[in-house]
Amino acid sequence: MQLLCGKIGRKLSSVSVKECNALAFDEPRFYSVGGLPILEKHFPATKSHAPKVLFIGGIHGDEYSSVSVTFKWLKTLNKHHSGAYDWHFLPLANPDGLLQSRSSRVNRNKVDLNRNFIPASGFPDPLVHWKKKARERSRYYPGKAPLSEPESQVIHQLIEEYRPDIVVSVHAPHGILDFDGSSLKPPKKLGPLHLRQLGTYPGSLGNYAWFVKRIPVMTIELPHAGIMPSRRDIGRMWTDLVGWVGEKSTIRKEIVLSD
């Protein structure tokens, strides 16, 4: 992990090597196309019925702030985890995309990982949609088939094993809060970000997690890909997020009843 933390620290001025190493990530289980470990950190709850949150940063390698802010929230949770909720973090889901000399949205196989999931019934095939609607732009290439990439397979496996009550995914640079799911009422805002539901793309994480697995997905779209939010806004977003999870302490019951 020290080698990967060194690479991250050299790439991102807002995440130091020391800060990364201090988080003491779990022993690696998963690896990227290029052989880099997929960082994981689990903060278990003290009670079995606590809400479970799968938190994903850096699924697009050129969204630097997504990774940096996730590390800041990891640092906060590492200091103040009370055990009230169960958190599982993937702070950098696409290490190859971030850590190459010129960072890219896609992974080493040039696949947009956020289009590489299983599409829900009634939605078009991601590859067909890419050819017809996305004008075959390389940034959005969904891969030859759903789950063709090891990085998306990791998230798929964690959803199966961890069985989160909600997925939080951090992106940039639209500066909004998006939400897929009708079993829970989303927050109206997180810090400076206000709710604006954009719909879903076939093969995206939101499309798979909600429309296939019935797990709500909160997408945090930071205002800038290459510029960190202020320390105050980072704190406000985290406080609002934790407060919302706290309000949904009966989250599992609500989802079961809605189904």
Side-chain angles (χ1 to χ4, degrees), residues 56 58-61 63 93-94 105-107 111-118 126 139-143 149 151-152 155 167 169-171 178 180 199-209 217 219 221:
I56 301 167
I59 199 169
H60 291 145
E63 296 171 1
N94 183 8
R105 174 185 175 97
V106 296
N107 77 344
V111 172
D112 180 351
L113 299 174
N114 201 35
R115 300 291 186 271
N116 192 237
F117 293 93
I118 298 168
R139 283 173 54 81
Y140 304 102
Y141 175 57
E149 306 309 300
E151 299 91 347
S152 53
I155 297 171
V167 176
S169 185
V170 189
H171 288 264
D178 195 6
D180 291 294
T200 184
Y201 293 92
S204 68
L205 177 58
N207 182 255
Y208 171 69
V217 178
T219 302
E221 280 277 357

